[in-house]
Amino acid sequence: MSTHSPHSSDATASILVADDTPDNLRLLLRILSEAGYEVRPVTDGERAIAAAQLDPPDLILLDIKMPGMDGYEACRNLKADERTRDIPVMFLTVLDDVVDIIKGFELGGVDYITKPVRTGELLARIENQMALRSLQQKLIEKTEFLDSIYNGVEASISVVDVLENGQFRVAQVNDTALRMSGLTREQIEGLDLRQLMSEETIRDNHQACIDLGVPITREASIVIQGETVWWLSTHTPLRNEQGKIVRLIGTGINITDRKQAELQLAEKSEELYNTLETLQSTQTDLIRSAKMAALGNLVAGVAHEINTPVGTAITTASTLENATKAIMADLTTDNLKRSSFESYLAVAAECSQLILNNLNRAGELIHSFKQVAVDQTSLQARTFALKPYLQEIITNLTPTLKKTPHRITLSGSNNITLHSYPGALSQIMTNLIINSINHGYPHPPGQPEPIGHLRIVIHHQPGEVVLQYSDDGQGIEPDDQHRIFEPFFTTARDLGGSGLGLHLIYNLVTQTLQGRIQVASSPGNGTAFTLTLPDRLEQKSSD
C-alpha cells in the first residue's frame, strides 16, 4: 500500500478520472483510493464534463483516446466553462509524441501521465498539482486581502514611474486617493505629475526623494478643481537591479482641516501679541487655551508618527502584491520556475514580517497616546506608578524627539507611586521637554544641531516625591532666572514664544499638584528644574 496522502489535511481531495478502459479505471481507483483520495470514475468525455459541472473536483485525470469525445475535446469544453475552467487537468495517454503532449498543454492541461501507469510517478505528479492548486488558491486569497487593504485603508496610495525623460508618470492610485482628490482614475493615471501639481511641490517631494535616495515625508499643497488641498505625504523610492530609482511609492493623508486650523491659530497668535494688555486680564482663559494647544500638538505628533509604520506597511503590502501578480503570471503561462517560486516565498515572508512589525509599532503608539490623552483632557486624581507613566509621556513625544539629535534618559525606582493628577504632570513634563528642545540648543542656520542629553531622575522621601528634570543646553542668563515663571515673559518672541509655558508649569506644580518648583541654571551649563510633590494630595475643602 502506498504511503502517499492527499495534499490537503483539512478535507479529502476529490479526483475525477475519465478512461474508457475498465481495467485502467479499476487500477486508478485502487491506487488513488489507497492514497486517501476521493475518486469519481467515468468512461467518456461527455460524462466527465457533466460530472465536473455538477460537482467540481480538485483534479481531473483525462484519457486522451476515448470514443466519441476524446480527451482533447473534453479539455477544451472544460476550459471554456466558467464553472470548470480553473480545475487542473492531467492527461492519461499511451502517446509520447511531443506534438501530442504540446497540444494537451495548449488546451489547458497542466501535466500528463503515460500508460502503463507507474504508481509512484502518478501519486507524485498528482500531489504536485494539488500543492500548486492549494498555493494558487492562497495566492488568490492573499491578493484579494491585499487589494482590500490597498483600496480600503484611509490613506491615499500612489505609484509613480520615474521615466528617462524626466517625467513622473502616475502609474496607479488607490480608491482612497480618488475619494480624497475628487478626481476619476482616468483624470489621474497615465498623466505626468506636472499636470496635477506644481513644479515646487514635485521638487520638494518627489525629486527630493530621488536626490536623497531615502523615504521623504513632507507637507505639500496642491490645487484640485480650483481648491487648495494640503497633504502629509511619504514617498519611498524603489530601485531596479542596477540600483537606479525607477518608481516612487507615495502614501498620504489629507490634512487640509489641520492646516486651516494652524493658519487660524497663527492669526490668533498675532492678535494675542497685538492686544497683550487686554489679554493679561484674561490670563486664565489663555492658560486653558495653551493646555488644549499642547494636547493638539501631541495629537498631531502621534498621528504623524503612526503614519510612518502604517505607510511602510502599505508600501510593503504593495510590494507583496506586485510579487504575487508576477508569480501568478508565471503560473498562468506555465513559466513558473522553482527558483522564482522560492524567491517569491522569501519576499512574502519578509513582507509579512515587516507589515506585522510596523502595525505592532502603530498599536503601541496608540496605546501610549490614549492613556496620556485621557489624563490631559480629564483632570482626575488617581493612584499611578510614576516611572512607567513618565515613560508613556516620553513615548508620546517620540515624534518630536526624532526630529532632533537629542536623547532622553529616565532613572529612578519603578516602585514609586503617586495619588495625584497625572494629566497635570503630563502637561508639566511635556512643556519642560519641548522648552529644552526649542530653546536650549540654538545653532546658526546651516550648522549641525548640538547633541543634547535630557535627564529625568526621580526618588522618594518621606511623604514626598522629588522629580528632577535637567538638560545640558545653553542655560538661562542670571538676570532672566527670577522672571522665567512670570506670565508672558519670553526671550524667544521672534520665534513664536508666548511666555505662557513656564508660567503654566508653575501654576500646575504649586496649585494643582500642591508642590514646589525650583530652577538652577547658568549660561553654558544647562538648566535643572526640581519638582517636590506630595505623594498623596490633600483633599481640598469644597466650601
Side-chain angles (χ1 to χ4, degrees):
M1 180 177 292
S2 173
T3 59
H4 289 77
S5 60
H7 177 74
S8 174
S9 61
D10 297 329
T12 301
S14 171
I15 300 178
L16 177 64
V17 181
D19 196 314
D20 64 322
T21 305
D23 288 342
N24 287 342
L25 276 181
R26 283 192 292 271
L27 175 62
L28 292 169
L29 180 62
R30 178 181 61 79
I31 293 173
L32 297 176
S33 297
E34 289 178 355
Y37 294 104
E38 176 189 327
V39 185
R40 294 156 54 196
V42 295
T43 57
D44 57 52
E46 290 87 349
R47 288 188 175 88
I49 293 172
Q53 292 173 342
L54 181 64
D55 184 12
D58 295 303
L59 177 69
I60 299 175
L61 293 181
L62 200 58
D63 186 21
I64 292 179
K65 295 297 184 181
M66 292 186 293
M69 181 184 292
D70 65 11
Y72 292 142
E73 184 64 24
C75 182
R76 183 180 292 107
N77 282 275
L78 287 167
K79 294 303 176 182
D81 192 318
E82 185 176 351
R83 294 168 293 179
T84 56
R85 67 174 53 156
D86 294 328
I87 303 173
V89 175
M90 295 176 60
F91 287 109
L92 295 166
T93 179
V94 294
L95 305 175
D96 57 2
D97 189 277
V98 173
V99 174
D100 294 312
I101 295 172
I102 292 176
K103 181 179 179 181
F105 285 132
E106 290 176 345
L107 291 172
V110 296
D111 205 349
Y112 71 95
I113 298 173
T114 57
K115 299 178 183 178
V117 172
R118 292 182 289 273
T119 300
E121 179 187 2
L122 172 67
L123 294 177
R125 289 177 180 269
I126 288 176
E127 288 186 0
N128 183 52
Q129 292 303 321
M130 291 297 185
L132 288 175
R133 181 169 171 79
S134 175
L135 287 173
Q136 185 180 34
Q137 184 61 37
K138 290 179 180 179
L139 288 173
I140 292 173
E141 293 172 356
K142 180 67 74 174
T143 299
E144 292 174 349
F145 171 70
L146 293 175
D147 187 66
S148 68
I149 294 177
Y150 177 70
N151 285 308
V153 68
E154 287 302 317
S156 69
I157 305 173
S158 62
V159 180
V160 177
D161 292 331
V162 181
L163 304 184
E164 292 287 346
N165 60 7
Q167 287 188 338
F168 294 97
R169 185 179 61 199
V170 182
Q172 184 178 353
V173 295
N174 70 343
D175 291 347
T176 305
L178 298 178
R179 291 195 303 270
M180 287 182 172
S181 66
L183 302 176
T184 64
R185 197 171 297 278
E186 291 74 18
Q187 291 175 305
I188 297 180
E189 293 183 348
L191 297 181
D192 182 68
L193 280 180
R194 292 173 179 82
Q195 298 174 262
L196 299 169
M197 57 187 65
S198 67
E199 286 282 357
E200 181 182 3
T201 299
I202 295 172
R203 183 188 67 240
D204 293 343
N205 292 271
H206 305 81
Q207 190 61 52
C209 182
I210 294 176
D211 294 342
L212 297 176
V214 295
I216 294 290
T217 299
R218 298 273 172 80
E219 291 182 359
S221 64
I222 59 177
V223 178
I224 299 177
Q225 296 181 341
E227 294 186 6
T228 300
V229 179
W230 281 88
W231 298 83
L232 179 63
S233 302
T234 297
H235 292 88
T236 302
L238 294 183
R239 304 176 185 272
N240 60 16
E241 294 180 354
Q242 289 74 40
K244 183 177 180 180
I245 296 175
V246 296
R247 178 167 287 180
L248 300 177
I249 306 298
T251 59
I253 57 174
N254 190 327
I255 58 169
T256 302
D257 291 343
R258 196 196 80 185
K259 292 299 294 186
Q260 291 175 346
E262 289 178 355
L263 292 174
Q264 293 173 359
L265 183 60
E267 293 174 0
K268 187 64 176 177
S269 297
E270 183 66 22
E271 292 176 10
L272 292 175
Y273 179 72
N274 294 333
T275 58
L276 180 59
E277 292 183 357
T278 302
L279 292 175
Q280 285 177 334
S281 65
T282 59
Q283 179 179 328
T284 302
D285 291 338
L286 278 175
I287 290 175
R288 185 180 299 110
S289 297
K291 292 179 181 179
M292 297 309 296
L295 180 59
N297 289 333
L298 177 64
V299 172
V302 171
H304 180 276
E305 185 70 7
I306 290 174
N307 182 62
T308 299
V310 171
T312 302
I314 293 171
T315 300
T316 307
S318 177
T319 300
L320 181 56
E321 180 188 38
N322 291 335
T324 300
K325 288 180 179 177
I327 203 73
M328 288 184 67
D330 288 345
L331 183 62
T332 302
T333 58
D334 292 323
N335 290 325
L336 181 61
K337 298 179 181 179
R338 180 183 182 88
S339 59
S340 299
F341 185 66
E342 290 176 345
S343 176
Y344 168 75
L345 291 178
V347 171
E350 182 181 3
C351 287
S352 299
Q353 189 61 48
L354 281 172
I355 292 171
L356 181 61
N357 290 344
N358 280 280
L359 292 182
N360 282 338
R361 172 59 179 158
E364 292 170 0
L365 289 169
I366 292 172
H367 173 77
S368 296
F369 169 71
K370 283 172 62 179
Q371 180 61 65
V372 175
V374 167
D375 285 333
Q376 287 199 15
T377 55
S378 59
L379 195 60
Q380 302 248 345
R382 63 180 176 88
T383 301
F384 59 98
L386 179 57
K387 188 176 181 182
Y389 189 75
L390 291 173
Q391 188 59 57
E392 295 279 3
I393 297 170
I394 295 171
T395 299
N396 278 286
L397 289 171
T398 298
T400 301
L401 289 168
K402 284 177 64 176
K403 299 175 183 177
T404 74
H406 311 318
R407 62 189 179 96
I408 186 167
T409 57
L410 171 63
S411 59
S413 172
N414 290 321
N415 299 322
I416 299 175
T417 61
L418 282 177
H419 182 80
S420 189
Y421 295 106
L425 182 61
S426 171
Q427 293 170 25
I428 292 168
M429 296 310 301
T430 299
N431 274 278
L432 287 174
I433 294 171
I434 296 299
N435 198 61
S436 292
I437 293 173
N438 290 341
H439 307 299
Y441 302 93
H443 56 285
Q447 296 297 318
E449 187 174 0
I451 299 175
H453 186 187
L454 316 179
R455 296 178 177 86
I456 302 174
V457 181
I458 58 173
H459 67 270
H460 188 265
Q461 58 191 32
E464 295 179 323
V465 169
V466 178
L467 187 156
Q468 186 176 64
Y469 169 81
S470 63
D471 65 42
D472 54 357
Q474 68 173 352
I476 303 172
E477 292 294 333
D479 292 341
D480 295 333
Q481 289 188 30
H482 69 284
R483 300 187 59 197
I484 61 172
F485 294 125
E486 293 179 6
F488 308 108
F489 174 78
T490 177
T491 60
R493 186 79 64 191
D494 57 332
L495 300 177
S498 65
L500 287 173
L502 289 177
H503 179 63
L504 172 62
I505 290 172
Y506 181 83
N507 282 346
L508 288 173
V509 172
T510 59
Q511 298 178 26
T512 305
L513 301 185
Q514 303 170 21
R516 306 182 303 276
I517 182 170
Q518 295 175 310
V519 60
S521 181
S522 60
N525 294 313
T527 303
F529 293 89
T530 301
L531 283 65
T532 305
L533 309 174
D535 56 15
R536 186 170 188 85
L537 288 180
E538 297 179 3
Q539 294 296 324
K540 294 184 178 180
S541 173
S542 59
D543 50 298

